[in-house]
Amino acid sequence: MSKPVALVVDDETNILRFIRANLIASGFEVFSATTGTEALEVFESSNPDVVILDIMLPEIDGLEVCRRIRNVSDVSIIMITAKDDIQDAVEGLNAGADDYVTKPFAVEELLARVNAVLRRAKSNTTQTQTDKIKLGNLQIDLAQRQVVVNGKATHLTPTEFKLLTYLANNVDRVVPHEEILDAIWGEEYWDCTHYLRVSVGRLRQKIETDPGNPEYIVTCSGVGYMIRNVKVNN
Amino acid sequence: MSKPVALVVDDETNILRFIRANLIASGFEVFSATTGTEALEVFESSNPDVVILDIMLPEIDGLEVCRRIRNVSDVSIIMITAKDDIQDAVEGLNAGADDYVTKPFAVEELLARVNAVLRRAKSNTTQTQTDKIKLGNLQIDLAQRQVVVNGKATHLTPTEFKLLTYLANNVDRVVPHEEILDAIWGEEYWDCTHYLRVSVGRLRQKIETDPGNPEYIVTCSGVGYMIRNVKVNN
DNA sequence: AATATTTTTTAAAAAATTATTAATATAGAA
DNA sequence: TTCTATATTAATAATTTTTTAAAAAATATT
């Protein structure tokens, strides 16, 4: 593999330079940004393996940047937060960060976190992330975030896509409502089966030949949903 | 299923009483301890589903208790830590805790965490539990929540499924009506043998070759039902 | 064998769960 | 800002599952 790519976002240029230098010394290719808006732009173009993100930022704050990145990517994110501000850290994790370090920090600590997070990310991707999942006549293209049903490309909304891939990663297993809600909407939504129902309904409209008699996503009354690897005859 | 068991460890007896009361109100069976040493003893004997653990404890501190429990068990552990002490929280998670709440906390928050942690733990076990039970020509597919009889898959309703797996986990033993009702419907239904009869009837329709002369689920008049591991000749 | 008890079967009513639809709210993009 | 796509919410229709009750069959008891 070539050099890992890091994106560092901090408005204090001293700190930014400092982190940059150390990451480069550790063998990273480093991009940087000093505002939230710039961060999102650079993120698009640099496609980093890890993002190091200060919470205090002008324009769009770090939490918001984190959420937006999370919306479109599973990249590793480490937040930098002021010491003793546990609230920030917790919010960061809720917004989808993988870890955080408190300011001021020793470089070694930051590097250790970065490496730990990358290690975890790597072991996850080798396990789960093939870039295409096939289920009968259904193809899920994880990279392009679209599905191909009977050869026809179909656009899915973010929620629909997450829902479909979650189920697809658990083929032939009834996944309980709670678990799906946990995974897609977040733990605090475990109760909101109605969200799930509406989304499953829309997803069926898009991927099932006859949405009223679903082939792929079958419902298990009282329990949850299961996606089936349907047999096709060719 | 019977009540979930919680172990609460705190040296401040006011807080302890407070948490106890709320957990009991939420349907938990609660054990408690006020020191680290006592906590480890009670843990052994009570075998709880979740441990709520204050970090500040006399004798052995909460972190150490957490580590020692982790050494021998995968039970869910929630740490209670002083507000703003982010270091504690981080160490707690490193020591193997599943979550933490900061003091002072609202009861609702603690209960929400407890339930979230238990939900996660539960969904993990359903995933890992062996995914098939075989009894002669009968296969119970735990992941897909269906039975396969002579190669033909049949869908089961929640009650039917619970009933069948309960019996299957007690092969070749007559399970008394009362016990089944306790386990499937709940202890307040121990009396409702008619529910059981109807359900057994429907289950037989689905799994027996000749429901009138059941091979698998045999009835023991006046006592209960037994599922048999029938021999097949191949 | 006759009677009582227990169990099975059946069907209908009731309850719970799920699907569908449409209106409203929200977020991101032009 | 306004526009567009998406998500949430709520109401209602459809379906599935459970409960209830009663009659028929089987089993046990006297």
Side-chain angles (χ1 to χ4, degrees), chain A residues 85-151:
Chain A
D85 200 341
I86 196 173
Q87 204 45 47
D88 263 11
V90 170
E91 280 183 39
L93 295 174
N94 284 340
D98 295 278
D99 204 348
Y100 55 86
V101 294
T102 53
K103 244 190 314 197
F105 52 82
V107 209
E108 295 77 34
E109 191 189 353
L110 178 63
L111 287 175
R113 300 284 179 119
V114 169
N115 287 322
V117 157
L118 284 181
R119 224 176 20 252
R120 271 191 307 236
K122 203 171 152 193
S123 73
N124 280 345
T125 49
T126 42
Q127 267 180 28
T128 51
Q129 198 149 336
T130 8
D131 47 356
K132 271 179 191 168
I133 300 176
K134 273 192 185 182
L135 293 173
N137 281 325
L138 192 72
Q139 268 193 39
I140 308 170
D141 188 324
L142 295 172
Q144 300 185 49
R145 303 194 131 244
Q146 67 172 18
V147 293
V148 181
V149 197
N150 299 322

Side-chain angles (χ1 to χ4, degrees), chain B residues 84-131:
Chain B
D84 296 333
D85 200 339
I86 196 170
Q87 207 43 49
D88 263 10
V90 170
E91 281 184 38
L93 295 175
N94 284 338
D98 295 278
D99 205 348
Y100 57 87
V101 294
T102 53
K103 246 193 307 197
F105 51 83
V107 208
E108 296 77 35
E109 192 190 351
L110 179 62
L111 288 175
R113 301 283 179 116
V114 169
N115 287 321
V117 159
L118 284 182
R119 213 165 49 244
R120 272 189 308 233
K122 201 171 149 193
S123 76
N124 280 344
T125 50
T126 43
Q127 266 184 35
T128 44
Q129 100 192 130
T130 15
D131 50 351

